[in-house]
Amino acid sequence: MGSWLEELGRREADARERAQGLRERIAELGEQLALEERLVSRLQVTRETMIEILGATGDLDERVESGGAGGVSPGPEFGSGSPIGVVLVPQRGPGMEVSVLPEDYQDVVEVLADAGRPLRAGHIAAALGLEIAPAKVEGLRSKLKRLVARGWLNEQTPGLFTIIE
């Protein structure tokens, strides 16, 4: 009678050991995933910044056509499906409606309109349901600055954004 109990005990110990090994692998993979997600987020902010810089200098079309810009081939800007170099946020003109903006920019303007007061990027990110990670907030801040530069938002006090009525 003792032999089958010993065998069950051995099998149970082996199963627990394998489960513990899997838990450790999951923890390692979770750490690796978090590192990669932070890298992706940083690269996204860098890409958006470079698109903004290159687009502002007017060199973007030449660099993309000549295969320049560090040998990077043109690709879509995040969430837009539009090629690099296309102005996604138009300069605001008389009578222009918010509906001409890409959807994610419309959402930002809507949050500010609903708030009725100046908001910081972190508060806007929270209202949009974004993760309140520094990289996400900085990505949003670049969108806010783009909306300010194109006449859709106002930043009278540094870091506080309001809509222009």
Side-chain angles (χ1 to χ4, degrees):
M1 183 152 132
S3 64
W4 66 268
L5 284 175
E6 289 171 4
E7 180 63 19
L8 283 176
R10 186 189 62 75
R11 288 184 181 193
E12 183 179 350
D14 288 347
R16 285 181 192 204
E17 189 176 315
R18 286 191 306 272
Q20 183 58 34
L22 289 171
R23 280 188 204 94
E24 290 170 5
R25 283 182 53 199
I26 288 170
E28 284 177 29
L29 290 173
E31 291 172 15
Q32 288 176 359
L33 177 61
L35 287 173
E36 291 301 317
E37 286 176 338
R38 280 195 297 271
L39 176 61
V40 166
S41 186
R42 286 182 28 228
L43 290 170
Q44 179 181 0
V45 170
T46 301
R47 175 185 256 222
E48 289 174 354
T49 302
M50 291 307 298
I51 288 169
E52 188 174 325
I53 290 168
L54 293 175
T57 64
D59 295 342
L60 184 60
D61 292 332
E62 289 176 10
R63 291 174 186 246
V64 169
E65 287 174 11
S66 68
V72 176
S73 62
E77 186 171 359
F78 290 95
S80 68
S82 299
I84 295 175
V86 174
V87 176
L88 298 176
V89 179
Q91 186 70 33
R92 186 173 187 188
M96 287 183 79
E97 296 293 326
V98 176
S99 60
V100 301
L101 295 173
E103 189 175 336
D104 49 343
Y105 287 86
Q106 288 179 33
D107 293 342
V108 169
V109 174
E110 183 180 315
V111 164
L112 284 166
D114 290 346
R117 62 182 174 85
L119 293 177
R120 297 198 177 276
H123 293 118
I124 297 168
L128 291 169
L130 298 175
E131 178 184 352
I132 311 300
K136 298 287 183 187
V137 173
E138 288 307 311
L140 176 62
R141 190 180 324 281
S142 73
K143 286 182 179 182
L144 292 165
K145 296 284 189 176
R146 190 172 300 121
L147 286 166
V148 168
R150 306 253 167 80
W152 293 94
L153 297 182
N154 194 3
E155 186 185 17
Q156 286 182 338
T157 305
L160 286 174
F161 299 91
T162 59
I163 62 168
I164 296 176
E165 299 293 332

